[in-house]
Amino acid sequence: MRKALSLFLMAVLLIGVLGACGPKRDVQQPKGNDQKTAEQDKKPEKLVVWVNDDEKQKQALKDIFQKYTEKTGIKIEMVAVSMLDQTKKLALDGPAGKGPDVFYQPHDRIGDIVLQGLADPVDLGDAKGEYSPTAINAVTYDGKTYGVPMVVETYGVFYNKNLVPEAPKTMDDLMKIAKEKTNAAKDQYGFLMEATNFYFVYPFFAGYGGYVFKNENGKYDTSDIGLANDGAVKGAELVQSWFKNGYIPKEITGDIMNGLFTKGNVAVAITGPWNIASYKEALGDKLATAPLPVLDNGEHPKSFVGVKTWMLSAYSQNKEWAVDFMKFVTNEENSLHYYEVAGEMPANQKALTNEKITNDPLIAGFAEQIQYGEPMPNVPEMSQVWEPMGNALQFIAKGDNPKAVLGEAVKTIQDKIAASGAGK
């Protein structure tokens, strides 16, 4: 009896082993689409989102986040952290499982963020075409998309209609205004800008063919610096002429320019939309805006464009839903709501060209200039550019030879990049 039972148990065990090793003809493996659906069905109860600590921005986002909860049932835990502090906090909180699913950053920090391993690339799919091409370029690093752009900003022309009836369309128009309206002894100027600040001067280099780093297919070659090429030198000569002709004082700063413009002493100023509120308070309906004037070669000056973007935390456990959330927040309807409440221009292309923006006389000029601009480089090496170029512009303002000064500046930038260990 005991022998028969042993034989029976051995037979059962053998059948089980053969069954485990043999083909499972009656069990279907999930297909790709079935697997994707299964993953999407794993809906989280909530997403944690870090937003910039700004009251108007938070109010606009609170409205949009509530709409997402109503649509999906997913609660959004909104945590206010200054944009400039988020990466440092994420580096600590992410590994500890206390970080966000989504965070918010200026695009020029993307290179550093990726190198630290804090963010994952985002697959926008067909939605990629819904954003301004400039905005998409800004959030592209090493050929991959690392954000869902929310806001775009650049600078342009403000003008006082009491002093000039219409905006200068060309650089010749602007120089004519500068010549006719400038009386430095009376603190009266036809045209002012921070002409020793590389951020504002760059478009006049780029419009003639200058560039910071060569960019091909979304990848920067930081060994190829175009800030001393023929185009950059021609742009520097133009800037130098403003100082030589006495149109712009050598000691110009943003505060000096803003003070003179709000007093009604300046016909045209080149600056950004962050000055709209104070300028409008001073000039009322006499204030207007326009894109930068066209250069003598027929090219639009290529201003630096800044982008504020949502980013996907590398530590998120809810990546598919986080991407879905970012797309929702930045769609046309929600982008327009954000613009109306927070006052920042949307990266969504349809929203940016919506009549609510194009018919706004104080925003329209900047919205148009976005189309001519180019994103500030988002590679870590960009941090080595500002000081040498700022120093170079000071020498150019004082009358030094632009070609020689820019050549020296580029050499300094290359040395600083090498010393920092970047670019390798």
Side-chain angles (χ1 to χ4, degrees):
M1 184 72 178
R2 247 185 261 141
K3 186 176 180 181
L5 182 59
S6 297
L7 289 172
F8 174 74
L9 291 173
M10 287 177 65
V12 169
L13 182 61
L14 182 60
I15 291 170
V17 170
L18 290 172
C21 297
K24 296 176 175 55
R25 295 183 180 89
D26 58 341
V27 179
Q28 292 186 350
Q29 297 295 328
K31 297 178 182 177
N33 289 339
D34 293 337
Q35 182 66 32
K36 187 175 180 182
T37 302
E39 290 174 0
Q40 288 177 335
D41 284 342
K42 295 175 184 175
K43 184 186 293 188
E45 289 186 8
K46 71 174 183 179
L47 292 172
V48 178
V49 180
W50 285 0
V51 304
N52 189 35
D53 195 4
D54 176 273
E55 290 306 317
K56 286 186 178 180
Q57 293 174 27
K58 287 190 290 186
Q59 181 55 55
L61 293 171
K62 184 178 178 182
D63 300 337
I64 297 168
F65 292 1
Q66 180 59 39
K67 286 167 60 179
Y68 186 76
T69 298
E70 291 169 1
K71 178 187 175 187
T72 64
I74 299 173
K75 294 179 182 178
I76 303 300
E77 182 180 325
M78 185 171 78
V79 181
V81 182
S82 168
M83 275 195 303
L84 303 183
D85 296 333
Q86 287 187 17
T87 52
K88 188 181 294 185
K89 185 173 172 61
L90 179 58
L92 296 172
D93 290 359
K98 298 185 294 182
D101 294 288
V102 173
F103 60 109
Y104 193 61
Q105 286 292 289
H107 87 272
D108 55 305
R109 291 184 160 211
I110 287 177
D112 276 324
I113 290 168
V114 172
L115 290 179
Q116 291 182 62
L118 300 178
D120 278 354
V122 175
D123 182 6
L124 286 172
D126 293 339
K128 194 172 186 178
E130 295 177 10
Y131 303 93
S132 157
T134 303
I136 289 296
N137 288 339
V139 299
T140 300
Y141 179 77
D142 204 20
K144 296 178 181 178
T145 305
Y146 274 95
V148 182
M150 181 76 183
V151 167
V152 289
E153 68 179 17
T154 194
Y155 36 93
V157 165
F158 283 96
Y159 64 101
N160 183 338
K161 291 189 285 186
N162 273 335
L163 300 178
V164 284
E166 60 183 27
K169 291 183 171 57
T170 67
M171 188 54 63
D172 284 344
D173 292 340
L174 182 59
M175 293 302 95
K176 185 179 179 183
I177 292 169
K179 186 175 181 179
E180 292 177 355
K181 301 290 183 180
T182 298
N183 184 339
K186 294 184 178 180
D187 277 343
Q188 296 173 348
Y189 295 92
F191 156 58
L192 284 182
M193 65 173 286
E194 294 179 65
T196 55
N197 183 331
F198 180 60
Y199 173 70
F200 292 108
V201 167
Y202 177 71
F204 306 104
F205 285 33
Y208 287 115
Y211 53 87
V212 182
F213 303 120
K214 193 72 172 178
N215 185 351
E216 291 186 4
N217 302 318
K219 294 185 178 182
Y220 288 101
D221 179 357
T222 57
S223 67
D224 186 344
I225 300 173
L227 293 175
N229 67 15
D230 290 344
V233 171
K234 187 166 184 179
E237 289 171 346
L238 171 64
V239 172
Q240 189 174 65
S241 74
W242 304 338
F243 293 103
K244 277 186 177 179
N245 293 328
Y247 298 154
I248 297 179
K250 293 181 179 64
E251 65 275 9
I252 189 68
T253 65
D255 288 341
I256 291 173
M257 178 186 70
N258 293 337
L260 291 169
F261 191 85
T262 53
K263 285 180 183 177
N265 286 20
V266 181
V268 176
I270 291 178
T271 184
W274 47 86
N275 280 318
I276 286 176
S278 60
Y279 283 10
K280 185 177 181 181
E281 183 180 358
L283 299 184
D285 61 5
K286 297 303 179 182
L287 179 68
T289 69
L292 297 175
V294 174
L295 299 170
D296 59 8
N297 62 357
E299 293 291 325
H300 289 274
K302 299 175 183 178
S303 56
F304 275 141
V305 176
V307 175
K308 296 174 186 175
T309 183
W310 298 108
M311 298 191 73
L312 175 63
S313 170
Y315 302 101
S316 172
Q317 300 298 310
N318 309 297
K319 288 185 168 62
E320 284 193 19
W321 282 103
V323 173
D324 181 74
F325 164 79
M326 291 188 283
K327 289 180 183 177
F328 178 85
V329 172
T330 57
N331 68 25
E332 181 183 6
E333 178 185 347
N334 291 325
S335 292
L336 284 171
H337 177 75
Y338 186 84
Y339 161 72
E340 290 170 336
V341 177
E344 295 190 300
M345 288 188 295
N348 181 288
Q349 183 68 15
K350 285 186 177 179
L352 188 61
T353 54
N354 185 283
E355 62 182 13
K356 288 182 179 179
I357 291 177
T358 58
N359 290 343
D360 184 332
L362 298 183
I363 289 292
F366 299 104
E368 183 179 345
Q369 181 61 37
I370 291 286
Q371 314 302 329
Y372 310 129
E374 61 182 56
M376 194 185 308
N378 59 15
V379 291
E381 291 86 346
M382 186 64 192
S383 63
Q384 309 301 332
V385 172
W386 299 108
E387 184 180 357
M389 288 306 297
N391 292 337
L393 289 168
Q394 291 287 348
F395 287 122
I396 288 167
K398 293 173 183 175
D400 288 10
N401 181 279
K403 186 177 180 66
V405 168
L406 292 179
E408 184 62 32
V410 167
K411 176 68 166 58
T412 303
I413 293 168
Q414 291 170 333
D415 290 346
K416 286 169 70 72
I417 289 173
S420 71
K424 293 181 180 179

